[in-house]
Amino acid sequence: FFRAVVPAMSLVDESLIADDKRAINELKQKLDTYCDQQKQVEDLLSMDAENAQVQQLSTQLQEAIKLTRGMIDERWAQLKEKEEQKYVVGAECEAKYEREGWYTCKIEEVIPPADEDDEKRWMVSFIGFPLHPLQECTLHQLRPFRPPPAERLVVGTVCRAVFKSGKFCECVIDQVTTKGTVWVTFQGYQNSEEVPLAHLRLAYQKDMKAKEKR
């Protein structure tokens, strides 16, 4: 007997996010260059304030700085929108839990901004810790799921995976697939189950100090 599980997929093309980040870094480098040049021009004007050519250069640099800052703000807005689209209800990712680190979680609810000064928030449940209360997160407290290193996913490795109880139970890896899942056999059971890597915890991954729901 086996139970197959399909891992959650990202709804956003990660390459588009990478393009935005790369563009922002390039614009920041240009901005730094313009600001350095503007400082040099100001030094020249302090010695020759009536120099028309230097004044014109100063005006051009000020316009370039303003334009570049606007382009950076626009790219940041685009990047934030794409980042937010990844975290829809049902999506599995990672959330920062207090000072303990990052844990796999599932988006349970998306809370829209209350006004223009507010920001979107997400309610998440931590995978494998069903008794832990939901946690409210900002965008900065979420990140895409990071699978364990391939060299740690070895057939025969004793680890833990989420059982039908919703809790982590000890198991052994039987097979590693190429689609982000592993087949495991739970201790005390003969059935083999396919679980997504987000539902797996290896020996080096510490447990959360769970707080039970009230």
Side-chain angles (χ1 to χ4, degrees), residues 8-9 15 24 31-32 54 61 64 66 87 107 120 128 137 145 147 172 182 198 211:
M9 302 298 290
S15 66
I24 289 171
L31 180 61
D32 289 341
V54 177
L61 283 170
K66 181 179 179 180
Y87 306 119
I107 305 295
K120 186 181 292 186
C137 299
F145 169 66
V172 176
V182 291
K211 298 177 181 177

Side-chain angles (χ1 to χ4, degrees), residues 1 57 85 97 150 184 208 211:
F1 172 77
L57 179 57
Q85 289 174 0
Y97 174 65
V184 302
M208 174 189 296
K211 298 177 181 177

Side-chain angles (χ1 to χ4, degrees), residues 22-179:
R22 184 163 47 251
I24 289 171
N25 287 332
E26 291 173 353
L27 288 169
K28 284 183 174 180
Q29 291 174 4
K30 287 184 178 180
L31 180 61
D32 289 341
T33 299
Y34 294 148
C35 288
D36 289 341
Q37 291 173 343
Q38 177 66 12
K39 185 177 180 181
Q40 294 172 13
V41 168
E42 289 173 354
D43 290 340
L44 291 174
L45 286 174
S46 67
M47 295 182 290
D48 185 5
E50 302 302 322
N51 190 314
Q53 186 176 1
V54 177
Q55 288 177 347
Q56 182 180 9
L57 179 57
S58 177
T59 300
Q60 291 173 345
L61 283 170
Q62 290 175 18
E63 292 176 351
I65 289 172
K66 181 179 179 180
L67 177 62
T68 304
R69 283 176 174 162
M71 293 172 66
I72 291 174
D73 290 342
E74 184 178 353
R75 278 286 191 169
W76 269 121
Q78 293 173 358
L79 175 60
K80 183 179 180 181
E81 183 178 357
K82 291 186 180 75
E83 291 276 8
E84 290 180 347
Q85 289 174 0
K86 294 191 296 186
Y87 306 119
V88 297
V89 172
E92 294 181 355
C93 55
E94 293 185 0
K96 186 71 176 293
Y97 174 65
E98 296 183 353
R99 296 184 179 180
E100 291 191 33
W102 295 87
Y103 291 84
T104 52
C105 66
K106 180 180 179 181
I107 305 295
E108 300 291 349
E109 180 184 359
V110 180
I111 305 174
D115 52 52
E116 61 181 13
D117 296 322
D118 194 16
E119 59 181 337
K120 186 181 292 186
R121 296 178 183 274
W122 292 261
M123 298 300 294
V124 305
S125 60
F126 289 100
I127 294 172
F129 301 96
L131 298 181
H132 195 284
L134 297 182
Q135 175 172 296
E136 183 178 297
C137 299
T138 64
L139 181 61
H140 299 296
Q141 292 172 301
L142 299 175
R143 73 181 186 187
F145 169 66
R146 299 183 179 182
E151 61 269 18
R152 291 184 177 270
L153 298 173
V154 180
V155 172
T157 297
V158 177
C159 57
R160 290 182 301 154
V162 177
F163 194 51
K164 56 188 177 183
S165 63
K167 297 181 179 181
F168 283 109
C169 295
E170 190 168 288
C171 61
V172 176
I173 296 178
D174 299 324
Q175 179 186 350
V176 181
T177 75
T178 58
K179 56 182 181 178

